[in-house]
Amino acid sequence: MKYRKHRNTTDLGVRLHPDGGALDIVNQTTGDGWHGLQFFLRSGDHEYRPVRLDHPIGRSGKVTWQIEIASGVTVHFQADPTPTGSGIWLKPRIINHSPQDFPFDAYGFVPAEGTRGPWLGQRGIPVSAHSENLRYEHLPYSHPSFPLIRPLPEVGRWYGRQGSGPIPVLALGRLGQQRWLVEGSASQDRAVLSWHLALPTQPQQMLSYRSEHFWYGAAADAVPAGATLALESSLFLVITAEPDSLYETYMGVLAAIYGQRFAGVRSRLATEPVYCSCNYGINTNITEAVCVERIKLVSQLQGGGIFQLDHGYQKPHGEHQSWGYLDAFYPDAEKAWDMKRFPGGPSRIVEECHRHGLTPAIWWTPRMDVGGPIATEHPDWIAVNAQGKPIALVGDLHPDYSVPAVRNFVEYNIHTAIRAWKYEGIKLDFFSWAFDAPDLVYRHGGTSVQWRRWLLGLIRRMLGPRGYFLHCISCPLGNPFLALDGCDSFRAGMDIADGDWATHLANCSWILGALAASGRRTWLADLDSFMGSPAVPAAERRFRCALGYLTGGMLDFSGPVERLDIQARKDYRRLCERCDQGGRLLVPDVQAFAGRPLPCKLLRRHGGQSRTRRRFKIDATVGLFNWQDNPQVVGISLVECDLAKASHAQDFWTGRAVPIHKGLLTAQLAPRGHALIDIMA
């Protein structure tokens, strides 16, 4: 099988067991799939299971099943082929026929007693893949974790409970095979999908398994008397694929369902680079004079694109004279600007950007200072837990978006930045921890999923469909639903800060899972900025730039560009000339999925309609990387990458010819070295 190809099993069938109301979603020939999934609803300490089964109901060529879950409460399941014909799209809804509201606080599936549950043959050690495997986060602590594909945990573990950032997909397989069960969310309107996995408890099981939808920010949901409530729908797929294509079919189904609603589909970041006034020693040490000079130079290097003013423009407040809090905008956002450091006010940066052909963007955060003016004057605005204590897991306070006055103030802030100050882009930073706090309770109802989408949707509407919108820390791990009516790009790695090699390694260790979920179909990944400063060795600078370009996410630059040497500025221009982001990335380095998630081989295909193919006649770009501190030989087979007809290869940076020997590209790489190679057919 050639590397880039994968195959889906389209003949999945759905059957309802007459005794117990459990669902089978399986291939009738191979038996691969999900056996005996029994639906449950949990309310407090009680878990409801089916008590009565009705016969299937046919409607307009579709079939639904109806089970009674409690007295007067039924659940209807509609099982349709996915829009791409690659699996099953299961859509449940609850109907409350009783005269009383029906509360519940979780729902999902667990294998009925005596059934296999998820099953995929008998050969090979069971393994699972979830993007959460790449990062452990238990606020306020977070660190890289790996591998992405790992054996089942000896002790049961929940996947998908680190907030709404991970890709809501679980892939199950067996070591040594390329066949996978893929289960994922088809919607994320109120609840988040999670899974509990453990080693099997019975010989005939592949694993111990439980799927569960839950929500942050609400103690319970309820179906009003006489009402119907649609639950989150799910996708069930059986695919044959290499590890880097685990999410390809899933993402294709979402693209068919939601289409142009994903912000990345229309994102200007596919062809426009961004300069950010932070990182590589700058941080908040910015002034109007420095920014004006950098705007001029960035314009020359980028030839257009976006200039993003990061934090440091706000008036300092508090005993530590800190920047970067919503308190600087309270009570009058028009007075948030630090006129001492930026005497021309917000309009000067906007005017200079327009004068030099750049689009102005600005940094903004809704986090609040402990003991700041908002917390002092409006404690009822602060997000709290069930005991009424503020959510302050990372040392900041955050708004309770269910409070009408909070929404009004947030809208006023965004309106000021976009409509009054005329900035055409927003970097939204330090905002998502409160949404992911497991003990958060909204005073006026709703869930974190709903209020997060309210915030993202508000900013998107203010910016318009072509505005630049970056979702920053904390880092999503590839969740495509955050791009619905929202962000062009998501920070997919930790802050690069001063750009040292150790931080670079940690930054890149989170992105592997997200790469398959990004692109113009959904959103473009942001590794955080590259290029850097003279303090970063040239080889390491180019290494990071090559990785940032090749992974197809936004081209994000920063650092004291006026101090870059001639070669660094030449590299900057070269990357911007080739800004054609959002294409499909392949990762032929299988070891990256089962070991440390730092791939040594990457392949980016340039489609027939891409600007790179049309302008430069380049079919693909290959990256070979040495992450080690000693020399390495790294090679890639063009035959396996479906590039056997390649006639010419050349170095991305210099244009010099690179030899192809018997269908192989190989490079002897120095420590922390790389080769970036363009291939023509």
Side-chain angles (χ1 to χ4, degrees):
M1 183 180 70
K2 287 186 177 180
Y3 179 79
R4 68 185 182 90
K5 294 183 179 179
H6 64 285
R7 179 170 53 85
N8 305 317
T9 298
T10 57
D11 53 349
L12 287 177
V14 184
R15 183 174 70 92
L16 194 67
H17 288 273
D19 51 343
L23 287 168
D24 286 340
I25 304 176
V26 299
N27 181 296
Q28 300 302 318
T29 302
T30 65
D32 295 337
W34 294 260
H35 295 258
L37 296 185
Q38 191 170 54
F39 185 78
F40 72 88
L41 279 169
R42 190 175 65 236
S43 182
D45 295 331
H46 185 74
E47 190 165 283
Y48 294 93
R49 299 286 184 93
V51 295
R52 186 172 61 84
L53 169 69
D54 287 345
H55 294 292
I57 308 167
R59 293 182 179 176
S60 303
K62 299 179 180 180
V63 176
T64 64
W65 289 270
Q66 176 178 299
I67 60 174
E68 187 175 48
I69 201 80
S71 179
V73 179
T74 58
V75 180
H76 287 215
F77 297 101
Q78 181 174 314
D80 300 326
T82 64
T84 59
S86 54
I88 297 299
W89 185 5
L90 190 64
K91 309 169 191 175
R93 67 184 191 276
I94 305 176
I95 302 178
N96 184 4
H97 306 278
S98 73
Q100 298 177 337
D101 294 351
F102 182 76
F104 61 100
D105 49 46
Y107 60 92
F109 288 101
V110 64
E113 186 175 352
T115 61
R116 283 178 168 175
W119 180 256
L120 189 62
Q122 302 183 46
R123 300 176 63 184
I125 298 171
V127 293
S128 65
H130 190 277
S131 63
E132 195 174 272
N133 282 342
L134 295 173
R135 186 179 82 220
Y136 169 81
E137 184 167 70
H138 186 73
L139 295 175
Y141 305 106
S142 178
H143 62 75
S145 181
F146 51 87
L148 176 64
I149 299 173
R150 60 177 67 177
L152 297 180
E154 293 182 13
V155 179
R157 177 186 162 188
W158 281 105
Y159 293 81
R161 297 228 166 190
Q162 295 187 31
S164 53
I167 306 174
V169 169
L170 177 69
L172 300 171
R174 290 192 183 273
L175 206 61
Q177 300 184 24
Q178 286 79 45
R179 197 164 173 81
W180 302 90
L181 305 182
V182 176
E183 177 185 355
S185 294
S187 64
Q188 197 175 80
D189 297 320
R190 294 177 63 83
V192 177
L193 179 57
S194 68
W195 295 267
H196 188 269
L197 303 182
L199 292 171
T201 57
Q202 301 179 38
Q204 72 273 23
Q205 289 181 318
M206 180 178 174
L207 77 168
S208 293
Y209 156 97
R210 180 185 185 94
S211 71
E212 183 173 300
H213 281 91
F214 71 104
W215 41 91
Y216 297 128
D221 211 334
V223 188
T228 298
L229 177 66
L231 303 178
E232 305 292 359
S233 59
S234 299
L235 300 174
F236 294 85
L237 315 167
V238 180
I239 65 171
T240 300
E242 296 288 343
D244 66 346
S245 297
L246 281 178
Y247 305 125
E248 180 67 17
T249 302
Y250 170 77
M251 295 307 305
V253 175
L254 291 190
I257 293 173
Y258 295 104
Q260 297 294 316
R261 285 184 59 190
F262 285 114
V265 174
R266 55 186 177 270
S267 175
R268 63 194 303 171
L269 297 180
T271 56
E272 296 185 44
V274 177
Y275 175 84
C276 170
S277 67
C278 191
N279 290 320
Y280 299 103
I282 297 176
N283 300 319
T284 60
N285 187 27
I286 55 174
T287 64
E288 180 180 290
V290 170
C291 286
V292 168
E293 290 305 309
R294 285 183 183 151
I295 286 170
K296 295 176 184 177
L297 183 52
V298 166
S299 174
Q300 297 169 14
L301 296 173
Q302 292 186 178
I306 296 161
F307 181 89
Q308 176 186 283
L309 181 66
D310 218 277
H311 70 306
Y313 65 86
Q314 311 97 316
K315 188 182 300 182
H317 74 94
E319 60 177 314
H320 302 295
Q321 296 291 293
S322 58
W323 291 273
Y325 289 91
L326 190 61
D327 301 86
F329 288 76
Y330 177 83
D332 185 354
E334 292 283 5
K335 297 180 180 179
W337 206 267
D338 186 352
M339 299 300 290
K340 292 182 179 179
R341 304 170 86 206
F342 289 81
S347 62
R348 177 71 193 282
I349 300 298
V350 172
E351 291 166 0
E352 290 296 330
C353 284
H354 289 162
R355 182 177 293 116
H356 293 90
L358 296 172
T359 298
I362 196 168
W363 182 97
W364 183 82
T365 180
R367 68 177 178 175
M368 295 171 286
D369 204 358
V370 176
I374 296 179
T376 301
E377 298 181 28
H378 290 286
D380 57 316
W381 288 14
I382 307 302
V384 297
N385 60 21
Q387 288 72 45
K389 294 183 178 180
I391 302 295
L393 297 176
V394 291
D396 303 321
L397 301 176
H398 297 268
D400 179 344
Y401 295 94
S402 73
V403 177
V406 168
R407 296 198 299 275
N408 291 339
F409 184 66
V410 168
E411 187 167 356
Y412 160 61
N413 274 262
I414 301 301
H415 185 276
T416 298
I418 297 174
R419 302 287 167 81
W421 294 348
K422 307 299 183 184
Y423 283 86
E424 301 172 47
I426 292 284
K427 175 183 176 181
L428 181 63
D429 206 356
F430 298 113
F431 77 100
S432 57
W433 287 299
F435 291 106
D436 295 342
D439 56 344
L440 174 64
V441 175
Y442 290 103
R443 291 175 175 84
H444 300 287
T447 72
S448 285
V449 171
Q450 292 175 299
W451 290 122
R452 186 171 187 157
R453 292 189 68 179
W454 174 85
L455 177 61
L456 301 185
L458 166 69
I459 296 174
R460 172 52 66 193
R461 288 191 299 275
M462 288 271 192
L463 288 171
R466 288 281 294 168
Y468 158 63
F469 188 8
L470 171 62
H471 176 303
C472 201
I473 299 292
S474 67
C475 300
L477 287 165
N479 183 0
F481 290 102
L482 300 180
L484 283 177
D485 307 315
C487 311
D488 296 277
S489 183
F490 296 109
R491 173 70 63 75
M494 60 185 284
D495 281 346
I496 192 60
D498 291 335
D500 63 274
W501 183 254
T503 305
H504 165 70
L505 294 179
N507 166 277
C508 295
S509 294
W510 294 0
I511 67 168
L512 190 62
L515 295 177
S518 63
R520 296 185 192 178
R521 289 186 302 186
T522 52
W523 52 275
L524 290 88
D526 177 31
L527 289 181
D528 202 8
S529 50
F530 34 94
M531 189 49 65
S533 70
V536 177
E540 295 177 16
R541 169 178 53 76
R542 269 192 172 180
F543 185 112
R544 183 164 178 81
C545 287
L547 190 76
Y549 165 76
L550 199 59
T551 49
M554 63 179 281
L555 292 188
D556 182 349
F557 301 95
S558 85
V561 288
E562 69 278 1
R563 293 170 50 203
L564 296 178
D565 61 23
I566 293 175
Q567 185 59 59
R569 295 187 189 189
K570 183 178 179 181
D571 291 347
Y572 195 147
R573 290 192 183 95
R574 177 72 163 163
L575 289 162
C576 294
E577 289 172 357
R578 290 282 297 271
C579 185
D580 185 17
Q581 305 302 96
R584 173 115 189 268
L585 177 75
L586 297 176
V587 188
D589 187 0
V590 176
Q591 178 59 31
F593 294 91
R596 194 174 185 185
L598 300 174
C600 296
K601 297 179 281 188
L602 296 172
L603 169 67
R604 180 173 161 190
R605 302 298 296 264
H606 304 293
Q609 299 304 312
S610 72
R611 197 169 67 168
T612 301
R613 176 77 71 86
R614 289 185 283 108
R615 182 177 176 184
F616 300 103
K617 312 301 181 186
I618 296 169
D619 294 275
T621 303
V622 167
L624 306 176
F625 297 91
N626 178 14
W627 301 85
Q628 307 301 318
D629 288 330
N630 44 55
Q632 299 283 334
V633 176
V634 181
I636 190 170
S637 167
L638 298 184
V639 174
E640 281 296 294
C641 296
D642 206 22
L643 292 170
K645 297 181 180 179
S647 61
H648 179 70
Q650 64 186 35
D651 186 89
F652 174 93
W653 301 109
T654 65
R656 296 172 186 162
V658 175
I660 301 174
H661 182 66
K662 295 184 178 180
L664 294 175
L665 278 177
T666 60
Q668 184 166 340
L669 302 177
R672 306 180 185 181
H674 81 285
L676 191 59
I677 304 167
D678 289 326
I679 298 173
M680 294 82 160

